[in-house]
Amino acid sequence: MVDTPMTDDQLCGIVYNLVKDAEAYRDERSKERIRAMEYFDGIMNDVPAEDGRSKVVSRDVRAAIKKVVPSVVRTILGNDKIVEYEPVKEGDEAGANQATDFINYVVFPESGGRVAVEDAISDALKLRNGIIKWWCDKRINVSYSMHTGLDEMSFAQLVADEDVTVLEHTERVEMIDMPEGQIPMPVHDCRIKRMSEERKNKLGAIPLENWLIHPDAIGIEDAPLCGENTRLRRSDLVAMGYPRDLVDALPLVGNGDLEQDEEEDTRRRDVFTRDEIQAKAMQEIEYYDLLVRVDFDNDGIAELRRIVFAGSLTKKGLLENEPWDEPNYADIVAERRPHQWEGTSVTDDVAEIQKIKTVLLRQTIDNLYWQNNLQPVVQEGAITNPESVVAPQFGLPIRVKTGTDVRTAVSYNVVPMVADKSFAMLEYLDGEVTDRTGISDASSGMAPDALQNMTAKASAMIEQAGIGQTEMMVRTIAEGLKRVFKGLLKLTIQHQDKPRTIRLRNEWVTVDPKTWNADMDATVNTGLGAGTRERDMMMMGLILGLQEKLLAAFGPDNPYVSPDNLYNGIAKQAEAAGLKSPDLYFTKPDAQAVQARLEEAKNKPSEAQIKAETQIAIEKAKAEAASIKERAQMEADLIVKLAEAEKDSQSRLQEMQIKERLEKQKLDFEREKLAAEERIERERMDREDARAREQREADIQRAQAEGFTRQLEGMN
């Protein structure tokens, strides 16, 4: 059996019933939101002031919200990286880092994210819930321009653009100066219309009077219906791409929803009329952009579909009907109510206190008025100039008739002074506001004067108590923003059709979101700013001190602290001090320059070596100085000795001559003695040589004789 999809009439009937339930739920809450906005603006129609009495209004709701908003916004939006994407599978690391930088520094600012988040936080604190929507805004931009003096090529290039329509065109001939002389050339003047499609990712806070959600919903993710109901001009619908003939046939806004109109008027704090005759392009049309869970294909499972109506919730007003992957809305609450879609606002906690304080303040001021302007009691006919009592002026006397006792002629009705009794009650109510909300001077990031006379421990306990509740608000809001940034990531991946070159950290990089994982997890940073500014600065000071110790102990090329880590700490310290541009005071180090300096530092001698070499140089200099001094002393001694020697030169010369003669005589004697000894020695050696020759000859003769004897014996 083939499932038959439902018809458009059936779909419109289901959506109509869901929308009416959602509108009834919205209108039921509308009065509470109107009251919250009026209390914030100091309008208290439920506490009317009597004529002639004080009309003062206590602004506790406004004061409480304005105390906590700066801390919450600074905690979330004051971070360098508002969101960080985390990889969910292997290989996502590079994409997660790129997505973190691209979303924080490019997409979020371009989408108007800061204003959207601030508005949603303000709505959450004031009206219980803030709604943020993310979408790809596709619009047709129309622009007109006049061009004159175009040559043939420029005019051809201009009209060749398919987005350009020529509205007016004039061609004329002008004499143009050329090197060969003036020659006639055609020149074009034209007025054009350019229609171009622009796509941009957008974030926006939805006004709650335009927000629809089914009363059975516990959250946006499981809501049977959620979306927007607003009014758009016909021109806006045409710019969104809808056919003009279809848009022109849509009916105008009728009487509309009175509750919605009243809430919008209260929010915008002005009253305007739509009954004026307007040009057709500026006429307003009822517009519904809805996300509905419905079993459109009749397979037994309700799917999420985006359904758009304009003019009416009928088949004639059905503009779009398409499947949708997930709701592109997120609700921001400061305090969540379990198992409910709505949260708790600061107004819920403070409105009753504001009402009581307003009554007390009016009574207190009225009592002070009576004390300063006592009611006169006048004896009838005793005063000749009654105006001096009714409208007293400085120096104007009160005249009484002769014989009238002045003390009885004029007296004053004494009103008891009870205003001072109200101050204790007002102080008690201020403490009740702090107990209910946790919002105090301490939690707002200021140093309250009330803590000056307390001990440091008591002051810290009070401050931490307030900060703790503020941190709870921040983390609850951050949890809602987590869906916003995950949706913004998917939106960027879906609609960025080509790589984009951007400048990040003073470097040009090319980013292609198509390669990222759309299911990456997102974490909204809520680090610094959760407490007071002083606490943030103290914590960053501790981190910087630890970094300095590690650098001093292990040197600049250590595994614990890099130059980027140190710069990040300095930048965060500057941001904690309220300086939004640390680059004005500190320069982020270039990685290549830092590495080059580290390599250069490795080749340089250490401090101990430099100290030793310096000491050696000092010792060498001292030794050279001592040597120079010693040589100078020796030269001085030598000069003295030479002077003394010169005095005795003659006597020493004579002595030397005598010594030389004696030495010469001695040497002559020695030479003669040696010559005699040599002669004697030669004679001795000659005698010994002669005896040796004689002995050899005798031995030879003896040998010959013995040989001759043996021969004879042999013959015998």
Side-chain angles (χ1 to χ4, degrees):
M1 178 177 178
V2 179
D3 296 331
T4 303
M6 65 174 59
T7 64
D8 288 344
D9 288 332
Q10 292 173 328
L11 176 66
C12 293
I14 293 173
V15 174
Y16 178 85
N17 292 327
L18 292 173
V19 168
K20 292 307 173 184
D21 290 341
E23 287 180 339
Y25 178 68
R26 178 191 65 188
D27 296 342
E28 180 184 347
R29 295 290 187 268
S30 179
K31 292 181 179 179
E32 297 178 1
R33 291 195 293 268
I34 291 173
R35 177 172 176 264
M37 288 186 286
E38 289 180 342
Y39 267 54
F40 183 83
D41 293 331
I43 302 171
M44 301 184 65
N45 296 323
D46 52 350
V47 187
E50 299 180 14
D51 293 338
R53 297 296 181 92
S54 174
K55 296 180 176 58
V56 68
V57 173
S58 180
R59 305 287 286 271
D60 297 88
V61 171
R62 186 182 188 91
I65 292 175
K66 290 186 70 174
K67 278 183 180 179
V68 75
V69 162
S71 292
V72 174
V73 172
R74 178 166 60 92
T75 303
I76 296 176
L77 299 182
N79 291 298
D80 184 38
K81 293 181 179 178
I82 301 173
V83 63
E84 291 189 21
Y85 293 97
E86 300 173 359
V88 294
K89 65 179 183 180
E90 187 176 0
D92 287 346
E93 292 79 5
N97 293 332
Q98 275 195 343
T100 297
D101 291 340
F102 190 66
I103 297 297
N104 279 289
Y105 302 131
V106 179
V107 178
F108 185 73
E110 289 181 352
S111 66
R114 183 177 184 88
V115 174
V117 172
E118 288 181 356
D119 290 350
I121 291 174
S122 180
D123 285 344
L125 294 172
K126 187 194 308 180
L127 307 175
R128 298 180 181 172
N129 289 68
I131 307 298
I132 296 182
K133 176 184 179 181
W134 54 95
W135 74 100
C136 181
D137 189 36
K138 299 179 182 179
R139 291 187 176 272
I140 299 175
N141 293 327
V142 180
S143 61
Y144 298 87
S145 59
M146 187 71 185
H147 302 267
T148 60
L150 299 178
D151 57 23
E152 289 285 347
M153 183 177 295
S154 299
F155 179 72
Q157 290 177 347
L158 181 64
V159 299
D161 191 344
E162 60 182 8
D163 296 334
V164 172
T165 302
V166 179
L167 302 178
E168 299 175 4
H169 176 225
T170 302
E171 183 177 356
R172 66 182 190 276
V173 177
E174 288 186 357
M175 302 301 293
I176 307 298
D177 293 332
M178 301 294 289
E180 57 272 14
Q182 289 188 339
I183 60 174
M185 291 188 65
V187 176
H188 300 269
D189 298 336
C190 63
R191 184 170 178 267
I192 66 170
K193 174 183 177 182
R194 188 187 299 273
M195 299 181 65
S196 59
E197 184 182 70
E198 180 184 16
R199 294 195 303 176
K200 183 182 293 185
N201 295 338
K202 300 286 288 184
L203 282 178
I206 306 301
L208 291 179
E209 68 268 16
N210 297 341
W211 172 246
L212 293 176
I213 189 168
H214 198 270
D216 293 341
I218 297 178
I220 291 179
E221 296 86 348
D222 64 346
L225 176 142
C226 66
E228 299 173 72
N229 168 213
T230 185
R231 296 179 176 89
L232 295 179
R233 296 182 175 89
R234 295 186 193 272
S235 174
D236 296 331
L237 293 173
V238 173
M240 292 167 66
Y242 297 113
R244 181 176 178 180
D245 55 349
L246 176 62
V247 173
D248 288 342
L250 296 174
L252 293 175
V253 173
N255 291 330
D257 191 318
L258 298 180
E259 295 288 348
Q260 183 183 7
D261 290 348
E262 182 182 357
E263 186 174 353
E264 182 179 354
D265 293 344
T266 304
R267 176 176 59 84
R268 298 176 65 174
R269 286 186 288 186
D270 57 5
V271 178
F272 54 91
T273 177
R274 299 186 179 89
D275 295 336
E276 300 175 359
I277 299 176
Q278 301 175 353
K280 193 166 187 177
M282 299 301 291
Q283 291 174 345
E284 290 185 334
I285 306 296
E286 197 79 26
Y287 182 80
Y288 292 88
D289 188 348
L290 307 172
L291 296 177
V292 184
R293 294 193 180 275
V294 60
D295 185 14
F296 182 75
D297 54 5
N298 199 21
D299 62 352
I301 301 175
E303 302 90 6
L304 185 67
R305 301 188 71 83
R306 178 174 179 260
I307 303 175
V308 178
F309 292 93
S312 64
L313 295 170
T314 61
K315 181 179 178 180
K316 293 182 179 179
L318 182 61
L319 299 182
E320 294 186 50
N321 176 19
E322 57 180 338
W324 206 249
D325 54 354
E326 64 179 10
N328 57 325
Y329 297 94
D331 60 322
I332 309 300
V333 295
E335 182 180 346
R336 189 168 297 281
R337 294 181 181 181
H339 317 298
Q340 295 186 43
W341 171 76
E342 272 192 322
T344 300
S345 67
V346 174
T347 307
D348 294 332
D349 294 327
V350 183
E352 182 183 8
I353 303 296
Q354 177 169 326
K355 187 174 182 179
I356 298 172
K357 287 185 66 177
T358 296
V359 174
L360 281 176
L361 279 174
R362 289 177 180 176
Q363 293 175 351
T364 301
I365 293 175
D366 286 341
N367 184 246
L368 291 173
Y369 285 167
W370 281 111
Q371 290 292 318
N372 294 331
N373 300 276
L374 295 177
Q375 186 177 14
V377 179
V378 182
Q379 184 178 348
E380 187 70 26
I383 307 299
T384 60
N385 56 340
E387 68 277 2
S388 64
V389 179
V390 177
Q393 299 179 11
F394 288 107
L396 180 65
I398 300 175
R399 304 180 186 278
V400 299
K401 292 183 178 180
T402 304
T404 303
D405 187 356
V406 176
R407 291 173 296 178
T408 60
V410 180
S411 62
Y412 292 91
N413 181 29
V414 179
V415 178
M417 176 60 180
V418 295
D420 55 345
K421 306 298 189 296
S422 302
F423 298 146
M425 188 63 183
L426 292 171
E427 186 177 354
Y428 165 77
L429 292 173
D430 288 336
E432 188 69 15
V433 170
T434 302
D435 291 341
R436 292 187 181 189
T437 64
I439 299 172
S440 62
D441 289 339
S443 64
S444 65
M446 297 183 294
D449 295 337
L451 303 182
Q452 288 183 353
N453 297 325
M454 294 186 178
T455 63
K457 184 175 181 180
S459 173
M461 291 176 64
I462 291 177
E463 183 179 347
Q464 291 299 326
I467 290 172
Q469 295 194 47
T470 305
E471 286 182 351
M472 185 69 176
M473 289 185 183
V474 169
R475 298 192 185 281
T476 305
I477 292 171
E479 189 64 26
L481 290 176
K482 181 177 179 179
R483 287 199 66 247
V484 175
F485 286 104
K486 291 185 71 173
L488 197 59
L489 174 65
K490 292 184 178 180
L491 196 68
T492 302
I493 295 175
Q494 291 172 356
H495 297 283
Q496 180 105 10
D497 54 356
K498 58 184 179 180
R500 180 175 174 183
T501 302
I502 58 174
R503 187 178 182 182
L504 289 176
R505 300 185 182 90
N506 296 324
E507 294 182 2
W508 291 98
V509 296
T510 300
V511 177
D512 186 8
K514 293 293 185 183
T515 62
W516 301 342
N517 184 358
D519 295 325
M520 287 189 294
D521 199 7
T523 300
V524 178
N525 287 324
T526 55
L528 289 179
T532 63
R533 191 179 299 279
E534 289 75 15
R535 192 183 76 163
D536 295 343
M537 294 181 66
M538 180 184 69
M539 295 303 297
M540 287 309 306
L542 293 176
I543 293 175
L544 286 172
L546 184 57
Q547 288 177 332
E548 292 175 358
K549 290 182 179 178
L550 291 171
L551 286 170
F554 299 99
D557 191 11
N558 69 86
Y560 303 104
V561 180
S562 68
D564 280 346
N565 296 146
L566 183 60
Y567 174 80
N568 292 337
I570 295 172
K572 283 295 183 183
Q573 177 78 323
E575 290 175 4
L579 304 176
K580 300 304 293 182
S581 300
D583 293 340
L584 295 176
Y585 313 98
F586 305 100
T587 300
K588 187 171 184 178
D590 181 68
Q592 295 181 352
V594 170
Q595 188 63 31
R597 291 200 175 192
L598 290 177
E599 293 296 333
E600 183 181 354
K602 288 181 180 179
N603 299 327
K604 289 184 177 180
S606 64
E607 184 178 354
Q609 291 176 336
I610 294 174
K611 186 176 180 180
E613 291 176 357
T614 304
Q615 186 64 32
I616 292 173
I618 293 173
E619 295 295 336
K620 185 177 180 181
K622 288 181 178 179
E624 290 180 354
S627 176
I628 292 172
K629 183 178 180 180
E630 184 177 356
R631 286 198 301 271
Q633 185 64 39
M634 291 174 62
E635 290 177 356
D637 294 342
L638 181 59
I639 291 172
V640 172
K641 290 180 179 179
L642 288 175
E644 294 176 352
E646 188 175 357
K647 295 178 180 179
D648 301 332
S649 60
Q650 295 299 327
S651 58
R652 286 201 301 273
L653 180 58
Q654 292 176 357
E655 290 178 357
M656 290 175 62
Q657 291 176 351
I658 294 172
K659 288 181 179 179
E660 287 178 358
R661 287 196 297 270
L662 292 174
E663 290 292 335
K664 185 177 180 182
Q665 293 175 0
K666 184 177 180 180
L667 289 174
D668 293 340
F669 175 76
E670 291 294 336
R671 283 197 296 271
E672 292 177 357
K673 181 179 178 181
L674 288 174
E677 289 177 352
E678 288 177 357
R679 287 194 301 273
I680 295 171
E681 183 64 23
R682 283 197 298 271
E683 291 175 357
R684 183 182 63 77
M685 292 176 64
D686 291 340
R687 288 194 298 271
E688 288 179 355
D689 290 339
R691 284 197 297 270
R693 285 195 299 271
E694 291 175 358
Q695 184 64 36
R696 284 195 298 272
E697 291 176 357
D699 291 338
I700 292 172
Q701 291 176 1
R702 189 169 45 257
Q704 290 177 352
E706 288 176 358
F708 181 70
T709 301
R710 282 193 296 270
Q711 288 178 357
L712 290 179
E713 289 176 355
M715 292 174 60
N716 293 328

